[in-house]
Structure formats: structure tokens, C-alpha cells
Amino acid sequence: MCPGQRYSVIITAHDSLKFNHALNVTFYSDFIPQTPGFNPLYHQVPIVYHDNAPIKTFTAIEDHEVKWADELAMELRDKQMLLEPVDQHIVVNVKVLNREMGMSIHAYGHYAYASVPVPPLYTALTTGNMALSPSVYAPQLNAIILKHNHVVELELRNSFAPIMHTYHSHGHAFQVVESGLAKINSSIPVKRFKGRYPMRRDTITLAAGQYVRVRIKADNPGVWYQHCHQEQHNLSGMAFTFIEAPDVMQQTLRVPQEMLEFCRILGHPTQGNSAGHFGSDMTGIDPPLAINGTANSITGT
């Protein structure tokens, strides 16, 4: 379980008022040192059946006795089939830039994400056919163009970062289909979903040295922010952008006039590429902060 991730559980109540009960929760963190009273954190919630009833006690369960959840072995009861065949395969690499004073910047992609004068939604809506080209979006947006209704498989690789990250998707709940070690020739076997109705998430853990493959259907036209849910990494630029079906967006979406007026008052342009120009001219935008490492890749049309 990672920052931003949620679990829902169904608890069947007892039919007796003889005892109250305690719900015990233990939270571990694997990216900070274990510290008494801080990591792990213990939380207890009373489940009250009667004000005067005693709390029933049970023997504590040790960690090694717990059967940990394996999302690749689960099937959803809503019976949404595995998305296939895959039309587009995208590899996104976690990058790390070490800076002075022990500081580091983590990124999804070749550049640290940064805001630009023209929001990518406005660019997608005002540049016509050019909206289908990455050239009208500034490099620091790490923009990935998705075609309408394509099945997209996203492979997230945490090959270089020494710590765990999270991946949170706006606009989609993705199917979790595969995971393994990101290093080639690993002796640890790859885990693949083998059923029909895979688990769906909008947030997932990406452990150090791990890769995860997820799938979506690009049926939700819009500009969708994808990011790490550890806030310090998100704020430093660990994000990328799905530009999903911009041709469909231009036919179906309209920006409220109030938003355009707000931008006008602030002096922000509302059309053109990321710099407010036409074509790929990015004059006036600060150069992106490049992060060394393996480049991202996109296959499929």
C-alpha cells in the first residue's frame, strides 16, 4: 500500500452485543528507517456494540503469519475483461538527478515536469491537427499522445532510483497485468496476470529495481496528469502528461468563458503551443531540466 492508495473492506458484524472489538492497523514504511513510535505506526479503532460491554482480546498476529495480498492473483467481481490486443506500448523510466547538498530530483521521463505559459489543455484544443504532435507541447510536460479508444500498455521502470515510488493516474483506473525486476537476466521470475478480470487501480507501488505493466483504454479524451504520489517528488517534477485524443477533445470539450477571462486578467495566453506561439517555436520558455538516464520509448501507432 502506497501514498494515495486506498483499500475498501467489508466487515460482517457479529450478532451479539456481549463484546466490543478493536480494529488494529499497523503501517510500515520501506523508504524511511524503522524508528520506535514512528515506523511502524500503530492505530487502533474501537468497534462498539454496547457501551458497557468489554473489549474482547485476541492474540496478536505476527507479520510472518499474514497472507499478503497479491494483486496479480486477484480478479475483480465486476468482470471487466483484460484489455487486448495492445495498440500502443509505452515505457516510462524513473530518472534521478543528484544535486548539491545531498538533494536529488526524481522524474518520470527525460525532463523534470514544470508548468508552462499555455496549459496543455488549451494547446490541445487550439492547435488543430498539430495537437496530435508532441512538438507543440514543451519538453518539460513529458507529453505522451494517446489515440482515441486505443488499448495502451504502460511499462513503468524504476531501474535507477534507490527508493520506492508511486504512480498515480488521473483520468483512468488501470489494469495491473505484470511486474518483475527491471534488470535484464534476473533470476526472479516475472509475475503475470493469468485470469480474465484483472485488478484495477489508480495508484500503485513501484519498488526500487521493479517494473510494472498496466493497461488502459484511451476512451476518456482530455489532458491527464500522471505523477508520483510522494508529494516531495511530485513537487520537484516527477510527472508526465497524457494528451488523450486531442482531435476528439476539439469536437467535444469547451473551456468555460470564466476560465478564459481569468487567464486574460492574469496575462496568460490561452491558445497556441506551450509558449503561446504556432508550430514548435518555444521561444520564451525556460529550458527544461534534463535528467540523465535511459530515454522513454513508445511503440505502436
Side-chain angles (χ1 to χ4, degrees):
M1 190 172 184
C2 58
Q5 195 174 57
R6 292 86 62 206
Y7 276 85
S8 297
V9 297
I10 298 174
I11 298 176
T12 302
H14 294 290
D15 58 2
S16 169
L17 304 181
K18 186 177 180 180
F19 291 102
N20 295 324
H21 298 268
L23 177 64
N24 298 298
V25 182
T26 304
F27 291 100
Y28 295 90
S29 174
D30 62 358
F31 56 90
I32 57 176
Q34 289 199 15
T35 307
F38 183 68
N39 180 29
L41 284 175
Y42 301 96
H43 189 58
Q44 188 175 86
V45 178
I47 302 175
V48 179
Y49 285 83
H50 192 280
D51 289 342
N52 298 321
I55 294 180
K56 190 170 185 177
T57 58
F58 291 91
T59 303
I61 299 176
E62 299 296 331
D63 288 349
H64 68 271
E65 300 178 87
V66 175
K67 183 178 180 181
W68 299 101
D70 181 358
E71 295 184 341
L72 286 166
M74 296 181 182
E75 287 197 300
L76 284 186
R77 298 181 66 180
D78 68 0
K79 299 189 184 308
Q80 183 184 96
M81 296 288 289
L82 174 68
L83 294 169
E84 54 186 354
V86 172
D87 299 300
Q88 188 176 21
H89 182 78
I90 301 168
V91 177
V92 173
N93 288 284
V94 174
K95 311 288 183 64
V96 183
L97 175 64
N98 294 314
R99 311 196 81 178
E100 297 84 2
M101 305 296 292
M103 300 295 291
S104 62
I105 292 177
H106 299 256
Y108 277 132
H110 189 56
Y111 301 102
Y113 185 94
S115 60
V116 293
V118 180
L121 175 62
Y122 294 173
T123 294
L125 290 174
T126 62
T127 52
N129 290 334
M130 286 294 292
L132 292 164
S133 170
S135 65
V136 298
Y137 306 98
Q140 50 266 56
L141 294 176
N142 292 317
I144 297 173
I145 313 296
L146 305 183
K147 291 187 177 181
H148 190 46
N149 282 329
H150 270 196
V151 173
V152 179
E153 184 172 82
L154 180 66
E155 181 176 325
L156 300 140
R157 302 185 68 87
N158 192 12
S159 306
F160 307 105
I163 61 174
M164 177 270 287
H165 287 288
T166 63
Y167 166 62
H168 175 61
S169 175
H170 290 260
H172 288 279
F174 47 77
Q175 295 181 341
V176 185
V177 299
E178 185 177 310
S179 70
L181 283 187
K183 296 180 179 179
I184 301 174
N185 300 324
S186 168
S187 59
I188 298 178
V190 170
K191 296 171 65 176
R192 294 186 177 91
F193 177 75
K194 298 180 180 179
R196 292 189 295 172
Y197 316 118
M199 173 66 70
R200 287 199 309 279
R201 289 276 184 208
D202 62 14
T203 311
I204 196 169
T205 301
L206 191 60
Q210 183 189 32
Y211 80 89
V212 175
R213 287 186 179 182
V214 301
R215 291 183 188 178
I216 63 169
K217 185 174 183 179
D219 57 3
N220 192 16
V223 174
W224 302 114
Y225 188 60
Q226 316 289 306
H227 64 98
C228 179
H229 226 303
Q230 291 176 245
E231 196 59 22
Q232 70 273 28
H233 297 160
N234 179 34
L235 292 174
S236 70
M238 193 170 185
F240 60 100
T241 316
F242 282 152
I243 313 294
E244 184 171 338
D247 49 343
V248 178
M249 271 193 270
Q250 292 172 11
Q251 302 300 318
T252 58
L253 299 183
R254 294 292 179 271
V255 177
Q257 187 60 39
E258 294 85 352
M259 290 296 298
L260 297 175
E261 180 64 15
F262 185 65
C263 291
R264 186 193 68 78
I265 292 172
L266 293 177
H268 296 321
T270 58
Q271 60 183 350
N273 65 20
S274 295
H277 307 309
F278 294 100
S280 58
D281 177 12
M282 294 295 168
T283 303
I285 290 184
D286 292 335
L289 177 61
I291 313 293
N292 295 326
T294 306
N296 293 339
S297 66
I298 301 175
T299 58
T301 57

